[in-house]
Amino acid sequence: MDKVALTAAGLYAIVLLRAGGTFAVGWLAGAGARRGRLAERISTAKFRRVERAIQRWGAPVVAVSFLTVGFQTAANFLAGSMHMPLTRYLPALFVGGAAWALVYATAGIGALEVLARLFAEQTAMGVAAVTALLLMTVCGAMVYRRRKAGSTDRAAAADES
């Protein structure tokens, strides 16, 4: 078995467990909300229409969500909390998960091969590339934290006014 197929198979198993688990947690949260204090709010006609639409048309959204960054967890949780039938959810999970695993396996192995070749042929250039990548990551995290702290400060100042 070649390395891309083996990596894709491993990633596929991981995504099925992770996304399926997120769906299950959403299902339990939705069941709890139906019995708790939110029961009145989620029993309205408008909410039921939205729930039926997600149950009926949400499967393509779930499948495509695997090709996005940051939306797939929300899509799987929402599908679970809205009690999307397993007959619709599981095919979306299998198709979307397979696409996710193939994309990450091929892109990930390709990136690792490029880095390995770079280190083998031009070690100094490889070290510089990894250092630049780490610096960009740290700088991006710092900018994100400062912006988040700034928005929190502005919100607190607005509350005081």
Side-chain angles (χ1 to χ4, degrees):
M1 193 173 211
D2 79 326
K3 57 188 168 190
V4 172
L6 187 60
T7 303
L11 289 173
Y12 190 55
I14 289 168
V15 78
L16 291 179
L17 292 172
R18 182 180 57 99
T22 303
F23 176 85
V25 168
W27 188 282
L28 293 172
R34 284 171 176 75
R35 287 188 221 117
R37 286 185 264 172
L38 293 174
E40 285 181 29
R41 289 186 181 176
I42 62 175
S43 62
T44 64
K46 184 176 183 179
F47 185 87
R48 296 226 185 259
R49 276 195 312 272
V50 169
E51 187 175 42
R52 280 193 305 274
I54 288 172
Q55 289 172 350
R56 184 169 184 191
W57 303 105
V61 173
V62 169
V64 171
S65 76
F66 286 96
L67 300 177
T68 67
V69 175
F71 179 65
Q72 57 187 274
T73 301
N76 283 284
F77 184 85
L78 184 61
S81 67
M82 294 291 176
H83 288 194
M84 180 185 292
L86 287 176
T87 54
R88 293 184 187 272
Y89 176 74
L90 290 176
L93 172 64
F94 294 145
V95 170
W100 179 88
L102 288 172
V103 166
Y104 275 84
T106 55
I109 287 178
L112 288 176
E113 286 177 348
V114 166
L115 280 175
R117 198 172 308 123
L118 186 61
F119 272 101
E121 295 171 5
Q122 298 178 352
T123 305
M125 187 68 101
V127 170
V130 169
T131 303
L133 182 63
L134 287 173
L135 282 172
M136 287 189 303
T137 303
V138 168
C139 288
M142 289 173 59
V143 167
Y144 173 77
R145 293 181 114 204
R146 284 186 182 152
R147 284 185 181 168
K148 187 175 180 182
S151 68
T152 304
D153 292 343
R154 284 191 296 276
D159 287 343
E160 290 175 5
S161 322

